[in-house]
Amino acid sequence: MGDADRLPRDERDDAPVSGKKVDGRALRFQHRRPELLAAATEYVLDHGIGDLSLRPAAQALGVSHATLIRHFATKDALIAEVLEHIRDDFEQRLLAGEIRDIDSPADRLRAAWRHLCRPREQRQFLVLFELVATAARTPSRPAARLVTDWLTVIERELARLEWPAETTTRTATFILAQVRGLQLDLITTGDSARVNEAFEATVDMLTASLPGRTPRNP
């Protein structure tokens, strides 16, 4: 008995059409891919990537191992899509009413920081730190996109805020480094008062020369 015969009928490949083999399940369930990616993202955020394996992940998500492979192919491909989903979700939140309607760049930075300090959001930094440690020990697995992809998100937001174009990349680099460093501190020490004060100092430095800056609350 072949592998296809051992799969449930709805997980088998459809018969060849015009000489080409068509993955019937992948086609029929393509509309569920966003839902599956969202669930996979939550799984990775909850469990990390150290012991990540597709078979246990599929079981936890309530789908077959074959289904997960059809959608994401490999563990590295799944992780890459999860990271992209996290970035997209964050950028959408920046564009949502809660943050979008804030005119002041300083207050927009503060709102984004408060959002990232929520326990559910801090999970992404735990995954990030795992990935950075893995990449540092495995030079054959470059991880520059862990930085560059997020710089693109921040640069787009700065452009929407009409930040001076000549300093956009430098400013985005500074913001990304400060947020990640302060989150590492906060997750490690739990000293939110000190870390929040440090973030306020970051906001002050970034916005000191901008017109109409919003000073911190006393």
Side-chain angles (χ1 to χ4, degrees):
M1 181 180 291
D3 289 343
D5 294 324
R6 287 195 291 268
L7 291 172
R9 179 169 297 277
D10 66 348
E11 293 189 13
R12 300 177 192 173
D13 292 337
D14 282 354
V17 177
S18 302
K20 294 183 179 180
K21 195 172 184 180
V22 179
D23 188 337
R25 182 176 176 83
L27 290 175
R28 288 192 297 273
F29 287 88
Q30 188 65 26
H31 67 284
R32 291 183 55 192
R33 197 174 192 282
E35 175 187 343
L36 183 58
L37 177 57
T41 299
E42 287 299 310
Y43 179 85
V44 171
L45 288 171
D46 282 340
H47 296 85
I49 55 100
D51 297 320
L52 180 64
S53 178
L54 291 185
R55 195 174 296 276
Q59 184 176 9
L61 296 174
V63 299
S64 72
H65 183 224
T67 296
L68 205 59
I69 289 176
R70 283 188 177 95
H71 282 288
F72 302 108
T74 67
K75 181 177 80 170
D76 285 346
L78 173 61
I79 292 172
E81 293 213 36
V82 163
L83 294 177
E84 184 175 354
H85 183 75
I86 291 170
R87 287 193 304 274
D88 288 346
D89 180 71
F90 178 69
E91 191 163 20
Q92 287 304 310
R93 290 181 184 277
L94 288 178
L95 296 173
E98 178 184 354
I99 297 178
R100 181 197 62 203
D101 295 337
I102 300 173
D103 293 328
S104 160
D107 286 341
R108 183 91 61 103
L109 284 167
R110 292 176 183 121
W113 172 254
R114 287 194 298 270
H115 172 76
L116 290 171
C117 287
R118 295 170 181 169
R120 284 184 60 81
E121 299 303 320
Q122 285 185 308
R123 296 176 300 167
Q124 66 179 278
F125 293 103
L126 297 176
V127 172
L128 168 70
F129 300 145
E130 282 187 277
L131 288 167
V132 169
T134 298
R137 296 190 181 99
T138 316
S140 61
R141 299 178 64 184
R145 288 188 61 184
L146 293 174
V147 173
T148 57
D149 287 351
W150 276 99
L151 286 179
T152 300
V153 172
I154 298 170
E155 286 170 357
R156 280 198 292 261
E157 180 63 15
L158 290 173
R160 282 191 285 267
L161 290 170
E162 299 182 348
W163 200 273
E166 64 275 13
T167 64
T168 295
T169 298
R170 181 180 69 197
T171 302
T173 301
F174 181 70
I175 291 172
L176 184 64
Q178 288 297 103
V179 167
R180 287 178 169 178
L182 290 174
Q183 282 291 337
L184 176 61
D185 187 328
L186 181 59
I187 291 169
T188 303
T189 68
D191 191 346
S192 58
R194 178 176 56 81
V195 171
N196 286 334
E197 276 295 304
F199 184 78
E200 281 293 340
T202 299
V203 172
D204 287 344
M205 283 187 285
L206 283 168
T207 61
S209 61
L210 293 178
R213 67 182 293 263
T214 302
R216 76 168 82 182
N217 293 325

PDB file of all heavy atoms in Angstrom, residues 89-122:
ATOM      1  N   ASP A  89       1.187  41.827  11.276  1.00  0.00           N
ATOM      2  CA  ASP A  89       0.193  42.109  12.313  1.00  0.00           C
ATOM      3  C   ASP A  89       0.554  43.390  13.063  1.00  0.00           C
ATOM      4  O   ASP A  89      -0.317  44.226  13.333  1.00  0.00           O
ATOM      5  CB  ASP A  89       0.105  40.932  13.284  1.00  0.00           C
ATOM      6  CG  ASP A  89      -0.911  41.165  14.384  1.00  0.00           C
ATOM      7  OD1 ASP A  89      -2.117  41.145  14.092  1.00  0.00           O
ATOM      8  OD2 ASP A  89      -0.509  41.369  15.548  1.00  0.00           O
ATOM      9  N   PHE A  90       1.829  43.563  13.371  1.00  0.00           N
ATOM     10  CA  PHE A  90       2.253  44.768  14.085  1.00  0.00           C
ATOM     11  C   PHE A  90       2.030  46.007  13.228  1.00  0.00           C
ATOM     12  O   PHE A  90       1.533  47.032  13.710  1.00  0.00           O
ATOM     13  CB  PHE A  90       3.721  44.654  14.489  1.00  0.00           C
ATOM     14  CG  PHE A  90       4.249  45.881  15.189  1.00  0.00           C
ATOM     15  CD1 PHE A  90       3.814  46.210  16.464  1.00  0.00           C
ATOM     16  CD2 PHE A  90       5.165  46.714  14.566  1.00  0.00           C
ATOM     17  CE1 PHE A  90       4.286  47.345  17.111  1.00  0.00           C
ATOM     18  CE2 PHE A  90       5.642  47.846  15.200  1.00  0.00           C
ATOM     19  CZ  PHE A  90       5.202  48.160  16.476  1.00  0.00           C
ATOM     20  N   GLU A  91       2.363  45.915  11.950  1.00  0.00           N
ATOM     21  CA  GLU A  91       2.183  47.070  11.080  1.00  0.00           C
ATOM     22  C   GLU A  91       0.709  47.417  10.929  1.00  0.00           C
ATOM     23  O   GLU A  91       0.339  48.594  10.886  1.00  0.00           O
ATOM     24  CB  GLU A  91       2.816  46.830   9.712  1.00  0.00           C
ATOM     25  CG  GLU A  91       2.896  48.085   8.869  1.00  0.00           C
ATOM     26  CD  GLU A  91       3.858  47.983   7.716  1.00  0.00           C
ATOM     27  OE1 GLU A  91       4.199  46.842   7.318  1.00  0.00           O
ATOM     28  OE2 GLU A  91       4.261  49.031   7.196  1.00  0.00           O
ATOM     29  N   GLN A  92      -0.142  46.400  10.860  1.00  0.00           N
ATOM     30  CA  GLN A  92      -1.571  46.670  10.780  1.00  0.00           C
ATOM     31  C   GLN A  92      -2.071  47.367  12.036  1.00  0.00           C
ATOM     32  O   GLN A  92      -2.956  48.223  11.975  1.00  0.00           O
ATOM     33  CB  GLN A  92      -2.344  45.368  10.554  1.00  0.00           C
ATOM     34  CG  GLN A  92      -2.198  44.804   9.155  1.00  0.00           C
ATOM     35  CD  GLN A  92      -2.607  45.816   8.093  1.00  0.00           C
ATOM     36  OE1 GLN A  92      -3.673  46.408   8.153  1.00  0.00           O
ATOM     37  NE2 GLN A  92      -1.739  46.013   7.098  1.00  0.00           N
ATOM     38  N   ARG A  93      -1.505  47.005  13.183  1.00  0.00           N
ATOM     39  CA  ARG A  93      -1.902  47.663  14.434  1.00  0.00           C
ATOM     40  C   ARG A  93      -1.451  49.123  14.448  1.00  0.00           C
ATOM     41  O   ARG A  93      -2.127  49.997  14.993  1.00  0.00           O
ATOM     42  CB  ARG A  93      -1.350  46.909  15.635  1.00  0.00           C
ATOM     43  CG  ARG A  93      -2.021  45.560  15.854  1.00  0.00           C
ATOM     44  CD  ARG A  93      -1.481  44.825  17.063  1.00  0.00           C
ATOM     45  NE  ARG A  93      -2.070  43.522  17.188  1.00  0.00           N
ATOM     46  CZ  ARG A  93      -3.254  43.268  17.762  1.00  0.00           C
ATOM     47  NH1 ARG A  93      -3.949  44.273  18.273  1.00  0.00           N
ATOM     48  NH2 ARG A  93      -3.722  42.041  17.839  1.00  0.00           N
ATOM     49  N   LEU A  94      -0.291  49.377  13.841  1.00  0.00           N
ATOM     50  CA  LEU A  94       0.161  50.764  13.729  1.00  0.00           C
ATOM     51  C   LEU A  94      -0.793  51.584  12.876  1.00  0.00           C
ATOM     52  O   LEU A  94      -0.957  52.787  13.081  1.00  0.00           O
ATOM     53  CB  LEU A  94       1.564  50.815  13.116  1.00  0.00           C
ATOM     54  CG  LEU A  94       2.729  50.356  13.982  1.00  0.00           C
ATOM     55  CD1 LEU A  94       4.018  50.433  13.187  1.00  0.00           C
ATOM     56  CD2 LEU A  94       2.848  51.178  15.265  1.00  0.00           C
ATOM     57  N   LEU A  95      -1.437  50.920  11.912  1.00  0.00           N
ATOM     58  CA  LEU A  95      -2.358  51.606  11.017  1.00  0.00           C
ATOM     59  C   LEU A  95      -3.784  51.620  11.547  1.00  0.00           C
ATOM     60  O   LEU A  95      -4.656  52.264  10.970  1.00  0.00           O
ATOM     61  CB  LEU A  95      -2.339  50.930   9.638  1.00  0.00           C
ATOM     62  CG  LEU A  95      -1.010  51.009   8.886  1.00  0.00           C
ATOM     63  CD1 LEU A  95      -1.067  50.158   7.626  1.00  0.00           C
ATOM     64  CD2 LEU A  95      -0.662  52.443   8.549  1.00  0.00           C
ATOM     65  N   ALA A  96      -4.029  50.886  12.627  1.00  0.00           N
ATOM     66  CA  ALA A  96      -5.372  50.833  13.203  1.00  0.00           C
ATOM     67  C   ALA A  96      -5.660  52.107  13.991  1.00  0.00           C
ATOM     68  O   ALA A  96      -4.749  52.878  14.326  1.00  0.00           O
ATOM     69  CB  ALA A  96      -5.512  49.613  14.111  1.00  0.00           C
ATOM     70  N   GLY A  97      -6.928  52.322  14.282  1.00  0.00           N
ATOM     71  CA  GLY A  97      -7.360  53.570  14.891  1.00  0.00           C
ATOM     72  C   GLY A  97      -6.678  53.914  16.194  1.00  0.00           C
ATOM     73  O   GLY A  97      -6.381  55.078  16.459  1.00  0.00           O
ATOM     74  N   GLU A  98      -6.389  52.903  17.023  1.00  0.00           N
ATOM     75  CA  GLU A  98      -5.835  53.149  18.355  1.00  0.00           C
ATOM     76  C   GLU A  98      -4.526  53.926  18.292  1.00  0.00           C
ATOM     77  O   GLU A  98      -4.259  54.809  19.107  1.00  0.00           O
ATOM     78  CB  GLU A  98      -5.616  51.810  19.072  1.00  0.00           C
ATOM     79  CG  GLU A  98      -4.990  51.941  20.455  1.00  0.00           C
ATOM     80  CD  GLU A  98      -4.702  50.590  21.080  1.00  0.00           C
ATOM     81  OE1 GLU A  98      -5.098  49.562  20.494  1.00  0.00           O
ATOM     82  OE2 GLU A  98      -4.086  50.574  22.144  1.00  0.00           O
ATOM     83  N   ILE A  99      -3.689  53.614  17.306  1.00  0.00           N
ATOM     84  CA  ILE A  99      -2.395  54.266  17.176  1.00  0.00           C
ATOM     85  C   ILE A  99      -2.384  55.248  16.012  1.00  0.00           C
ATOM     86  O   ILE A  99      -1.770  56.314  16.085  1.00  0.00           O
ATOM     87  CB  ILE A  99      -1.275  53.216  17.022  1.00  0.00           C
ATOM     88  CG1 ILE A  99      -1.192  52.331  18.279  1.00  0.00           C
ATOM     89  CG2 ILE A  99       0.072  53.876  16.759  1.00  0.00           C
ATOM     90  CD1 ILE A  99      -0.163  51.235  18.206  1.00  0.00           C
ATOM     91  N   ARG A 100      -3.084  54.916  14.950  1.00  0.00           N
ATOM     92  CA  ARG A 100      -3.080  55.744  13.735  1.00  0.00           C
ATOM     93  C   ARG A 100      -3.527  57.168  14.000  1.00  0.00           C
ATOM     94  O   ARG A 100      -3.011  58.125  13.417  1.00  0.00           O
ATOM     95  CB  ARG A 100      -3.988  55.107  12.685  1.00  0.00           C
ATOM     96  CG  ARG A 100      -4.068  55.860  11.364  1.00  0.00           C
ATOM     97  CD  ARG A 100      -5.271  55.393  10.587  1.00  0.00           C
ATOM     98  NE  ARG A 100      -6.515  55.675  11.315  1.00  0.00           N
ATOM     99  CZ  ARG A 100      -7.644  55.026  11.113  1.00  0.00           C
ATOM    100  NH1 ARG A 100      -7.699  54.035  10.243  1.00  0.00           N
ATOM    101  NH2 ARG A 100      -8.736  55.338  11.806  1.00  0.00           N
ATOM    102  N   ASP A 101      -4.505  57.328  14.896  1.00  0.00           N
ATOM    103  CA  ASP A 101      -5.097  58.646  15.132  1.00  0.00           C
ATOM    104  C   ASP A 101      -4.251  59.534  16.032  1.00  0.00           C
ATOM    105  O   ASP A 101      -4.630  60.669  16.323  1.00  0.00           O
ATOM    106  CB  ASP A 101      -6.503  58.490  15.727  1.00  0.00           C
ATOM    107  CG  ASP A 101      -7.464  57.825  14.745  1.00  0.00           C
ATOM    108  OD1 ASP A 101      -7.202  57.895  13.528  1.00  0.00           O
ATOM    109  OD2 ASP A 101      -8.463  57.240  15.200  1.00  0.00           O
ATOM    110  N   ILE A 102      -3.115  59.031  16.499  1.00  0.00           N
ATOM    111  CA  ILE A 102      -2.225  59.831  17.339  1.00  0.00           C
ATOM    112  C   ILE A 102      -1.314  60.650  16.426  1.00  0.00           C
ATOM    113  O   ILE A 102      -0.562  60.099  15.620  1.00  0.00           O
ATOM    114  CB  ILE A 102      -1.381  58.935  18.260  1.00  0.00           C
ATOM    115  CG1 ILE A 102      -2.296  58.111  19.177  1.00  0.00           C
ATOM    116  CG2 ILE A 102      -0.412  59.775  19.084  1.00  0.00           C
ATOM    117  CD1 ILE A 102      -1.557  57.080  20.004  1.00  0.00           C
ATOM    118  N   ASP A 103      -1.385  61.948  16.528  1.00  0.00           N
ATOM    119  CA  ASP A 103      -0.629  62.823  15.627  1.00  0.00           C
ATOM    120  C   ASP A 103       0.825  62.994  16.043  1.00  0.00           C
ATOM    121  O   ASP A 103       1.718  63.077  15.209  1.00  0.00           O
ATOM    122  CB  ASP A 103      -1.297  64.193  15.542  1.00  0.00           C
ATOM    123  CG  ASP A 103      -2.660  64.134  14.861  1.00  0.00           C
ATOM    124  OD1 ASP A 103      -2.831  63.289  13.964  1.00  0.00           O
ATOM    125  OD2 ASP A 103      -3.539  64.945  15.227  1.00  0.00           O
ATOM    126  N   SER A 104       1.062  63.060  17.329  1.00  0.00           N
ATOM    127  CA  SER A 104       2.406  63.332  17.822  1.00  0.00           C
ATOM    128  C   SER A 104       3.325  62.121  17.627  1.00  0.00           C
ATOM    129  O   SER A 104       3.007  61.014  18.065  1.00  0.00           O
ATOM    130  CB  SER A 104       2.343  63.680  19.316  1.00  0.00           C
ATOM    131  OG  SER A 104       3.602  63.515  19.921  1.00  0.00           O
ATOM    132  N   PRO A 105       4.491  62.299  16.975  1.00  0.00           N
ATOM    133  CA  PRO A 105       5.437  61.193  16.850  1.00  0.00           C
ATOM    134  C   PRO A 105       5.843  60.612  18.201  1.00  0.00           C
ATOM    135  O   PRO A 105       5.970  59.397  18.346  1.00  0.00           O
ATOM    136  CB  PRO A 105       6.638  61.832  16.141  1.00  0.00           C
ATOM    137  CG  PRO A 105       6.049  62.961  15.366  1.00  0.00           C
ATOM    138  CD  PRO A 105       4.942  63.495  16.239  1.00  0.00           C
ATOM    139  N   ALA A 106       6.028  61.474  19.202  1.00  0.00           N
ATOM    140  CA  ALA A 106       6.420  60.995  20.520  1.00  0.00           C
ATOM    141  C   ALA A 106       5.336  60.111  21.121  1.00  0.00           C
ATOM    142  O   ALA A 106       5.616  59.030  21.654  1.00  0.00           O
ATOM    143  CB  ALA A 106       6.711  62.183  21.443  1.00  0.00           C
ATOM    144  N   ASP A 107       4.090  60.564  21.030  1.00  0.00           N
ATOM    145  CA  ASP A 107       2.996  59.775  21.591  1.00  0.00           C
ATOM    146  C   ASP A 107       2.754  58.503  20.785  1.00  0.00           C
ATOM    147  O   ASP A 107       2.333  57.486  21.326  1.00  0.00           O
ATOM    148  CB  ASP A 107       1.723  60.612  21.653  1.00  0.00           C
ATOM    149  CG  ASP A 107       1.769  61.651  22.757  1.00  0.00           C
ATOM    150  OD1 ASP A 107       2.598  61.501  23.682  1.00  0.00           O
ATOM    151  OD2 ASP A 107       0.980  62.620  22.712  1.00  0.00           O
ATOM    152  N   ARG A 108       3.034  58.563  19.475  1.00  0.00           N
ATOM    153  CA  ARG A 108       2.906  57.357  18.655  1.00  0.00           C
ATOM    154  C   ARG A 108       3.954  56.320  19.088  1.00  0.00           C
ATOM    155  O   ARG A 108       3.657  55.136  19.172  1.00  0.00           O
ATOM    156  CB  ARG A 108       3.085  57.732  17.184  1.00  0.00           C
ATOM    157  CG  ARG A 108       2.912  56.591  16.188  1.00  0.00           C
ATOM    158  CD  ARG A 108       1.487  56.460  15.709  1.00  0.00           C
ATOM    159  NE  ARG A 108       0.972  57.616  15.018  1.00  0.00           N
ATOM    160  CZ  ARG A 108       0.827  57.706  13.687  1.00  0.00           C
ATOM    161  NH1 ARG A 108       1.213  56.710  12.914  1.00  0.00           N
ATOM    162  NH2 ARG A 108       0.278  58.775  13.147  1.00  0.00           N
ATOM    163  N   LEU A 109       5.154  56.760  19.356  1.00  0.00           N
ATOM    164  CA  LEU A 109       6.194  55.857  19.851  1.00  0.00           C
ATOM    165  C   LEU A 109       5.798  55.253  21.192  1.00  0.00           C
ATOM    166  O   LEU A 109       5.986  54.059  21.424  1.00  0.00           O
ATOM    167  CB  LEU A 109       7.514  56.620  19.994  1.00  0.00           C
ATOM    168  CG  LEU A 109       8.292  56.925  18.709  1.00  0.00           C
ATOM    169  CD1 LEU A 109       9.380  57.956  18.993  1.00  0.00           C
ATOM    170  CD2 LEU A 109       8.893  55.659  18.131  1.00  0.00           C
ATOM    171  N   ARG A 110       5.246  56.086  22.067  1.00  0.00           N
ATOM    172  CA  ARG A 110       4.839  55.582  23.384  1.00  0.00           C
ATOM    173  C   ARG A 110       3.720  54.546  23.268  1.00  0.00           C
ATOM    174  O   ARG A 110       3.714  53.530  23.970  1.00  0.00           O
ATOM    175  CB  ARG A 110       4.387  56.748  24.263  1.00  0.00           C
ATOM    176  CG  ARG A 110       5.513  57.699  24.659  1.00  0.00           C
ATOM    177  CD  ARG A 110       5.001  58.885  25.459  1.00  0.00           C
ATOM    178  NE  ARG A 110       6.069  59.823  25.768  1.00  0.00           N
ATOM    179  CZ  ARG A 110       6.096  61.099  25.408  1.00  0.00           C
ATOM    180  NH1 ARG A 110       5.074  61.611  24.709  1.00  0.00           N
ATOM    181  NH2 ARG A 110       7.111  61.880  25.718  1.00  0.00           N
ATOM    182  N   ALA A 111       2.762  54.808  22.380  1.00  0.00           N
ATOM    183  CA  ALA A 111       1.652  53.865  22.198  1.00  0.00           C
ATOM    184  C   ALA A 111       2.157  52.534  21.652  1.00  0.00           C
ATOM    185  O   ALA A 111       1.708  51.461  22.085  1.00  0.00           O
ATOM    186  CB  ALA A 111       0.605  54.462  21.261  1.00  0.00           C
ATOM    187  N   ALA A 112       3.084  52.588  20.697  1.00  0.00           N
ATOM    188  CA  ALA A 112       3.646  51.354  20.155  1.00  0.00           C
ATOM    189  C   ALA A 112       4.420  50.600  21.228  1.00  0.00           C
ATOM    190  O   ALA A 112       4.342  49.365  21.319  1.00  0.00           O
ATOM    191  CB  ALA A 112       4.553  51.675  18.970  1.00  0.00           C
ATOM    192  N   TRP A 113       5.159  51.317  22.060  1.00  0.00           N
ATOM    193  CA  TRP A 113       5.916  50.683  23.147  1.00  0.00           C
ATOM    194  C   TRP A 113       4.971  50.012  24.145  1.00  0.00           C
ATOM    195  O   TRP A 113       5.211  48.870  24.561  1.00  0.00           O
ATOM    196  CB  TRP A 113       6.791  51.711  23.842  1.00  0.00           C
ATOM    197  CG  TRP A 113       7.467  51.213  25.091  1.00  0.00           C
ATOM    198  CD1 TRP A 113       7.144  51.517  26.385  1.00  0.00           C
ATOM    199  CD2 TRP A 113       8.570  50.312  25.151  1.00  0.00           C
ATOM    200  NE1 TRP A 113       7.969  50.864  27.256  1.00  0.00           N
ATOM    201  CE2 TRP A 113       8.863  50.105  26.528  1.00  0.00           C
ATOM    202  CE3 TRP A 113       9.331  49.646  24.197  1.00  0.00           C
ATOM    203  CZ2 TRP A 113       9.891  49.276  26.947  1.00  0.00           C
ATOM    204  CZ3 TRP A 113      10.366  48.815  24.623  1.00  0.00           C
ATOM    205  CH2 TRP A 113      10.640  48.642  25.984  1.00  0.00           C
ATOM    206  N   ARG A 114       3.902  50.693  24.525  1.00  0.00           N
ATOM    207  CA  ARG A 114       2.950  50.085  25.462  1.00  0.00           C
ATOM    208  C   ARG A 114       2.361  48.815  24.879  1.00  0.00           C
ATOM    209  O   ARG A 114       2.162  47.826  25.585  1.00  0.00           O
ATOM    210  CB  ARG A 114       1.839  51.085  25.805  1.00  0.00           C
ATOM    211  CG  ARG A 114       2.268  52.218  26.720  1.00  0.00           C
ATOM    212  CD  ARG A 114       1.062  52.973  27.285  1.00  0.00           C
ATOM    213  NE  ARG A 114       0.271  53.587  26.227  1.00  0.00           N
ATOM    214  CZ  ARG A 114       0.480  54.817  25.759  1.00  0.00           C
ATOM    215  NH1 ARG A 114       1.481  55.548  26.242  1.00  0.00           N
ATOM    216  NH2 ARG A 114      -0.291  55.326  24.815  1.00  0.00           N
ATOM    217  N   HIS A 115       2.075  48.851  23.575  1.00  0.00           N
ATOM    218  CA  HIS A 115       1.545  47.656  22.919  1.00  0.00           C
ATOM    219  C   HIS A 115       2.552  46.509  22.991  1.00  0.00           C
ATOM    220  O   HIS A 115       2.190  45.376  23.326  1.00  0.00           O
ATOM    221  CB  HIS A 115       1.221  47.980  21.459  1.00  0.00           C
ATOM    222  CG  HIS A 115       0.849  46.783  20.637  1.00  0.00           C
ATOM    223  ND1 HIS A 115      -0.382  46.171  20.734  1.00  0.00           N
ATOM    224  CD2 HIS A 115       1.553  46.085  19.708  1.00  0.00           C
ATOM    225  CE1 HIS A 115      -0.416  45.138  19.914  1.00  0.00           C
ATOM    226  NE2 HIS A 115       0.741  45.069  19.285  1.00  0.00           N
ATOM    227  N   LEU A 116       3.816  46.782  22.733  1.00  0.00           N
ATOM    228  CA  LEU A 116       4.834  45.739  22.730  1.00  0.00           C
ATOM    229  C   LEU A 116       5.143  45.214  24.122  1.00  0.00           C
ATOM    230  O   LEU A 116       5.699  44.119  24.259  1.00  0.00           O
ATOM    231  CB  LEU A 116       6.119  46.277  22.080  1.00  0.00           C
ATOM    232  CG  LEU A 116       6.039  46.522  20.573  1.00  0.00           C
ATOM    233  CD1 LEU A 116       7.286  47.252  20.101  1.00  0.00           C
ATOM    234  CD2 LEU A 116       5.842  45.224  19.806  1.00  0.00           C
ATOM    235  N   CYS A 117       4.786  45.977  25.148  1.00  0.00           N
ATOM    236  CA  CYS A 117       5.034  45.541  26.525  1.00  0.00           C
ATOM    237  C   CYS A 117       3.944  44.621  27.065  1.00  0.00           C
ATOM    238  O   CYS A 117       4.064  44.099  28.183  1.00  0.00           O
ATOM    239  CB  CYS A 117       5.192  46.749  27.448  1.00  0.00           C
ATOM    240  SG  CYS A 117       6.762  47.618  27.232  1.00  0.00           S
ATOM    241  N   ARG A 118       2.883  44.424  26.309  1.00  0.00           N
ATOM    242  CA  ARG A 118       1.863  43.470  26.736  1.00  0.00           C
ATOM    243  C   ARG A 118       2.445  42.066  26.703  1.00  0.00           C
ATOM    244  O   ARG A 118       3.178  41.707  25.782  1.00  0.00           O
ATOM    245  CB  ARG A 118       0.646  43.560  25.822  1.00  0.00           C
ATOM    246  CG  ARG A 118      -0.082  44.896  25.903  1.00  0.00           C
ATOM    247  CD  ARG A 118      -1.131  45.027  24.817  1.00  0.00           C
ATOM    248  NE  ARG A 118      -1.805  46.314  24.889  1.00  0.00           N
ATOM    249  CZ  ARG A 118      -2.613  46.784  23.948  1.00  0.00           C
ATOM    250  NH1 ARG A 118      -2.850  46.057  22.855  1.00  0.00           N
ATOM    251  NH2 ARG A 118      -3.181  47.972  24.083  1.00  0.00           N
ATOM    252  N   PRO A 119       2.132  41.229  27.699  1.00  0.00           N
ATOM    253  CA  PRO A 119       2.724  39.876  27.757  1.00  0.00           C
ATOM    254  C   PRO A 119       2.562  39.078  26.471  1.00  0.00           C
ATOM    255  O   PRO A 119       3.499  38.392  26.040  1.00  0.00           O
ATOM    256  CB  PRO A 119       1.985  39.233  28.928  1.00  0.00           C
ATOM    257  CG  PRO A 119       1.652  40.379  29.822  1.00  0.00           C
ATOM    258  CD  PRO A 119       1.323  41.521  28.898  1.00  0.00           C
ATOM    259  N   ARG A 120       1.401  39.167  25.835  1.00  0.00           N
ATOM    260  CA  ARG A 120       1.206  38.417  24.594  1.00  0.00           C
ATOM    261  C   ARG A 120       2.159  38.889  23.504  1.00  0.00           C
ATOM    262  O   ARG A 120       2.634  38.093  22.686  1.00  0.00           O
ATOM    263  CB  ARG A 120      -0.239  38.537  24.105  1.00  0.00           C
ATOM    264  CG  ARG A 120      -1.227  37.689  24.878  1.00  0.00           C
ATOM    265  CD  ARG A 120      -2.618  37.792  24.278  1.00  0.00           C
ATOM    266  NE  ARG A 120      -2.659  37.335  22.900  1.00  0.00           N
ATOM    267  CZ  ARG A 120      -2.729  36.054  22.535  1.00  0.00           C
ATOM    268  NH1 ARG A 120      -2.767  35.107  23.455  1.00  0.00           N
ATOM    269  NH2 ARG A 120      -2.779  35.715  21.262  1.00  0.00           N
ATOM    270  N   GLU A 121       2.436  40.177  23.464  1.00  0.00           N
ATOM    271  CA  GLU A 121       3.317  40.713  22.441  1.00  0.00           C
ATOM    272  C   GLU A 121       4.783  40.419  22.751  1.00  0.00           C
ATOM    273  O   GLU A 121       5.603  40.264  21.840  1.00  0.00           O
ATOM    274  CB  GLU A 121       3.113  42.217  22.297  1.00  0.00           C
ATOM    275  CG  GLU A 121       1.715  42.623  21.883  1.00  0.00           C
ATOM    276  CD  GLU A 121       1.287  41.973  20.581  1.00  0.00           C
ATOM    277  OE1 GLU A 121       2.131  41.864  19.661  1.00  0.00           O
ATOM    278  OE2 GLU A 121       0.113  41.563  20.478  1.00  0.00           O
ATOM    279  N   GLN A 122       5.114  40.331  24.027  1.00  0.00           N
ATOM    280  CA  GLN A 122       6.512  40.074  24.392  1.00  0.00           C
ATOM    281  C   GLN A 122       6.982  38.689  23.966  1.00  0.00           C
ATOM    282  O   GLN A 122       8.191  38.457  23.851  1.00  0.00           O
ATOM    283  CB  GLN A 122       6.694  40.239  25.904  1.00  0.00           C
ATOM    284  CG  GLN A 122       6.700  41.698  26.348  1.00  0.00           C
ATOM    285  CD  GLN A 122       6.994  41.834  27.819  1.00  0.00           C
ATOM    286  OE1 GLN A 122       6.359  41.199  28.651  1.00  0.00           O
ATOM    287  NE2 GLN A 122       7.960  42.666  28.149  1.00  0.00           N
TER     288      GLN A 122
END
